Amino acid sequence: MTTGPTGAPLRILTVCLGNYCRSPLAAAVLAAKAGAAAEVSSAGLLDLWVGGTAHPTMIAAAAGLGYDLSGHRPVRVDAAMLDRADVVLAMDRSVLEQLRSLGGARNAAKIRLYLDGRDVPDPMGGTAEGFAASAAIIEAGAARHLP
């Protein structure tokens, strides 16, 4: 991880489908590990859960790893968010493709997968064990984005 323009904190945006489970946890992990070196936010492609909370099972999985998602409120990604970010991390290839379309050529170089070539499994519709496994993958993957 490097700093943003003019030595300011690196602005990282994590994005998943609904900003309901994967991207909020990725943002929490990156923010905790980066400290003042980064400003981290998250968003989703859909507005299904905007204004609600993170998925209750992901809140529990995150808490098991020491992260608090209880205050998270899902938001929908927009072009301005992509323009503002220094790095945009998509949780899977489908999200990556949609972000590239939304972000256009001006943002293409900063949009990439969170796990360098593989998807973070989407636990939606699965078991608590699936959420815990996805959470562990997200936590372990954070190191690639930190100094």
Side-chain angles (χ1 to χ4, degrees):
M1 179 176 77
T2 60
T3 59
T6 67
L10 187 68
R11 293 175 303 222
I12 302 172
L13 175 64
T14 62
V15 183
C16 66
L17 192 58
N19 194 220
Y20 190 50
C21 54
R22 294 176 294 169
S23 61
L25 179 58
V29 171
L30 289 166
K33 293 185 179 294
E39 292 175 12
V40 188
S41 58
S42 66
L45 293 172
L46 304 177
D47 60 5
L48 292 172
W49 295 282
V50 168
T53 64
H55 192 289
T57 310
M58 186 55 88
I59 291 172
L65 295 173
Y67 304 100
D68 182 8
L69 295 184
S70 64
H72 174 73
R73 299 295 175 262
V75 298
R76 186 172 186 183
V77 70
D78 61 28
M81 291 173 156
L82 299 178
D83 290 344
R84 184 178 185 280
D86 298 314
V87 177
V88 179
L89 302 172
M91 294 293 113
D92 62 46
R93 287 178 186 91
S94 173
V95 171
L96 179 71
E97 290 174 21
Q98 292 181 60
L99 286 173
R100 286 185 173 156
S101 291
L102 178 63
R106 71 187 178 282
N107 290 309
K110 62 182 167 182
I111 301 172
R112 58 181 175 261
L113 282 174
Y114 185 81
L115 291 180
D116 295 336
R118 62 186 180 108
D119 294 348
V120 173
D122 189 348
M124 283 298 293
T127 64
E129 292 78 17
F131 276 86
S134 184
I137 289 167
I138 289 167
E139 184 178 47
R144 74 190 66 227
H145 308 294
L146 303 171

